[in-house]
Amino acid sequence: MSAVVVIGTQWGDEGKGKIVDYLAEKADVVVRYQGGNNAGHTVIVGGNEFKLHLLPSGILYNDKTCVIGNGVVIDPAVLIKEIENMQEKGIDTSNLRISNRAHVIMPYHRLLDAVEEEYRGDFKIGTTKRGIGPCYMDKNARSGIRIVDLLDEEEFSAKLERNLEAKNHLLKAVYNEEGFDFEAVKAEYLGYAEKLRPYVRDTSAVLYQAIGEGQKVLFEGAQATLLDLDHGTYPYVTSSHPIAGGACIGAGIGPSKISKVIGVVKAYTTRVGEGPFPTELLDETGEMIRKEGHEFGTTTGRPRRCGWLDACVVRYAGYVSGIDYMAITRLDILDKLKTLKICVGYKYKGEIINEFPASLKVLAEVEPVYEELTGWETDISGVRSYDELPVNARKYVERLSEVTGIQIGIVSVGPRRDQTIIIHEVF
Ligand code: GDP
Ligand code: IMO
Ligand code: MG
């Protein structure tokens, strides 16, 4: 039995897409289990760049079953466009399976995401404004619309009518916005329903069968540990569960079926959106990392905040998700640095604290305890084996492994498939 979950350990954009694409070669099924088109996973294959938001990265191979699980929130217009874009590029999408239990992002979710952010003012979260939070709110409030409802005109009409009544009232009364027209939304979404219908399945059953037959299943996390609704830097989080446990709920499989968890760690730290970030660099080093790493959001184009590698964050991600191996990415981006720092602990009011703070007030005030290491000042993008890495590059990743207690499984030295060093096979 092989079911491997790949998750982000930091604040997202660690290179999950690249790692999943690499591992997918040996997999039979690739599954997205949470989030929506707030995710942006860039994958480079044969010199072509693909930016995936909803489709699992396995779609770039023509022979993998790709699943969008029940835990994902789907903006149908975005998904249809992504499917059509792939087809135009000659990629076969007939192996896509969409959960009948996934929730649908409606136009009022997108508008509410934008106006609620504006309303928060100085307390804004910095969301991607894709309607993710409001859609999960409706799911939890038990008023959401699922794919199975969208495919049934009568059900969909009834649910849309009830929802629009409430949402239009809220939009007008609280946010002074125009509401949405029932007939127009209904016609638009019933059009999407017909385009998606051929792909819709009970995906939990699809996965149960695949795992039972001994197929290799790869779960592709979106967002990351510190954006997890429960375990992240709440309220500066997303509204889903990116941690490994989220795969069970968001795909409808039992925990006993998961064989390994891979935590993707960017060799430094970035964050998009608001919220505390202890190792953030607001100086020329931060600027240099942003420039070297082209650290601008795939989904929104926003500049990403950059900082030193924070081992406290990765250690925390390790135990929240039971990570077996780390996949360290973008080590090559640090090639030019003379010295590097790793944060190995937090001090609060002069005392070392051992647990990752739940209080954002504390997290905002902690003082990172840094260890300084010498850089390798060598281009490592052509290195293909661990032993060939400069000794200082090895010392850097090995120190991270020591502090976090997590073994190194993969080191990535560039965005392409061949720029991947495997230390431990996961399948
Ligand atoms: P994701 O959201 O976790 O999938 O990450 P993103 O795709 O948003 O951002 C990661 C970026 O880094 C993408 O542009 C990848 O192509 C790129 N990338 C991944 N691994 C490496 C690496 O080892 N080195 C370099 N230079 N780029 C990488
Ligand atoms: P991938 O999968 C980085 C951040 C947003 C914001 C917060 C909430 O590419 O790693 P949301 O729109 O989800 O309600 O926004 O979460 N965020 C991400 N940051 N990478 C992502 O996805 C993200 N998805 C959401 O910037 O701070
Ligand atoms: Mg991303």
Side-chain angles (χ1 to χ4, degrees):
M1 181 192 79
S2 271
V4 175
V5 182
V6 177
I7 56 147
T9 57
Q10 295 151 315
W11 277 283
D13 304 322
E14 295 90 352
K16 298 176 290 295
K18 178 210 152 145
I19 298 298
V20 168
D21 169 71
Y22 181 85
L23 297 175
E25 192 188 355
K26 288 195 182 159
D28 301 294
V29 186
V30 184
V31 189
R32 273 280 309 270
Y33 59 86
Q34 45 69 230
N37 59 313
N38 47 350
H41 297 181
T42 305
V43 178
I44 296 183
V45 183
N48 297 318
E49 190 177 72
F50 297 88
K51 290 183 187 296
L52 302 163
H53 299 286
L54 274 163
L55 290 173
S57 296
I59 201 81
L60 302 175
Y61 298 85
N62 283 334
D63 59 339
K64 314 294 174 194
T65 301
C66 285
V67 172
I68 298 181
N70 55 277
V72 175
V73 286
I74 298 174
D75 188 324
V78 174
L79 179 55
I80 290 164
K81 194 152 175 255
E82 215 169 307
I83 293 171
E84 288 171 352
N85 278 342
M86 288 296 159
Q87 289 168 343
E88 277 162 26
K89 289 179 178 151
I91 289 161
D92 181 9
T93 58
S94 61
N95 287 338
L96 176 66
R97 306 283 179 262
I98 301 170
S99 170
N100 49 9
R101 292 184 171 85
H103 278 247
V104 181
I105 296 181
M106 302 299 295
Y108 44 83
H109 292 138
R110 287 192 300 267
L111 180 58
L112 281 166
D113 199 353
V115 295
E116 282 169 358
E117 273 286 87
E118 208 171 303
Y119 192 77
R120 287 183 192 112
D122 288 347
F123 299 98
K124 73 172 194 286
I125 294 164
T127 75
T128 59
K129 299 191 181 157
R130 298 299 192 264
I132 307 294
C135 183
Y136 279 116
M137 279 167 71
D138 280 0
K139 174 177 177 174
N140 281 286
R142 295 158 292 179
S143 59
I145 297 177
R146 299 177 301 162
I147 292 285
V148 68
D149 307 318
L150 177 66
L151 298 190
D152 179 329
E153 184 171 345
E154 211 177 302
E155 273 294 298
F156 178 68
S157 302
K159 290 196 170 178
L160 178 65
E161 195 170 15
R162 275 211 306 278
N163 271 287
L164 269 187
E165 207 182 302
K167 301 299 177 194
N168 281 347
H169 180 67
L170 174 70
L171 283 164
K172 284 179 193 152
V174 178
Y175 299 108
N176 201 23
E177 289 285 336
E178 279 294 306
F180 290 88
D181 177 61
F182 169 72
E183 291 299 339
V185 177
K186 181 178 155 188
E188 182 189 341
Y189 272 68
L190 288 177
Y192 299 146
E194 289 324 304
K195 291 196 168 170
L196 294 179
R197 190 182 297 277
Y199 300 105
V200 178
R201 300 282 190 287
D202 180 333
T203 51
S204 175
V206 169
L207 292 172
Y208 179 73
Q209 189 178 344
I211 293 171
E213 287 170 359
Q215 294 189 30
K216 296 185 171 83
V217 183
L218 194 53
F219 293 90
E220 176 174 3
Q223 291 79 51
T225 307
L226 290 187
L227 292 172
D228 186 278
L229 182 61
D230 275 63
H231 301 283
T233 45
Y234 189 90
Y236 298 100
V237 292
T238 192
S239 301
S240 68
H241 294 292
I243 63 160
C248 294
I249 297 173
I253 54 145
S256 58
K257 303 294 180 207
I258 293 176
S259 45
K260 271 198 186 61
V261 179
I262 310 298
V264 186
V265 183
K266 194 182 279 195
Y268 47 94
T269 315
T270 60
R271 175 162 207 180
V272 222
E274 309 300 315
F277 176 178
T279 63
E280 183 167 16
L281 286 163
L282 297 165
D283 58 6
E284 65 275 14
T285 310
E287 197 50 54
M288 189 245 187
I289 295 175
R290 181 159 37 248
K291 215 168 129 238
E292 284 293 317
H294 311 287
E295 288 292 358
F296 295 87
T298 311
T299 300
T300 57
R302 289 177 290 175
R304 293 174 182 152
R305 299 157 66 192
C306 297
W308 293 122
L309 180 58
D310 189 338
C312 298
V313 163
V314 180
R315 184 168 49 207
Y316 176 63
Y319 68 75
V320 171
S321 282
I323 296 174
D324 296 292
Y325 296 121
M326 290 189 279
I328 301 172
T329 60
R330 307 202 114 222
L331 193 60
D332 54 298
I333 299 298
L334 306 176
D335 280 353
K336 292 185 183 151
L337 290 173
K338 278 192 170 49
T339 54
L340 301 126
K341 286 183 184 171
I342 301 184
C343 169
V344 296
Y346 291 154
K347 258 188 190 171
Y348 181 64
K349 296 190 192 296
E351 302 274 328
I352 293 281
I353 51 171
N354 291 317
E355 281 163 8
F356 195 81
S359 158
L360 285 212
K361 202 174 113 205
V362 173
L363 189 65
E365 285 177 24
V366 294
E367 193 191 318
V369 179
Y370 285 117
E371 279 181 13
E372 195 166 82
L373 286 90
T374 311
W376 45 95
E377 296 183 82
T378 316
D379 177 358
I380 60 166
S381 61
V383 172
R384 295 293 175 268
S385 75
Y386 189 71
D387 295 340
E388 264 178 74
L389 278 174
V391 64
N392 287 344
R394 276 182 276 145
K395 276 188 181 163
Y396 182 70
V397 295
E398 282 163 21
R399 185 65 189 130
L400 174 69
S401 176
E402 256 169 36
V403 177
T404 57
I406 312 170
Q407 291 193 69
I408 307 164
I410 299 174
V411 178
S412 169
V413 293
R416 298 195 315 263
R417 283 179 183 166
D418 64 303
Q419 293 173 305
T420 314
I421 300 168
I422 298 293
I423 297 150
H424 285 282
E425 293 288 347
V426 298
F427 279 126

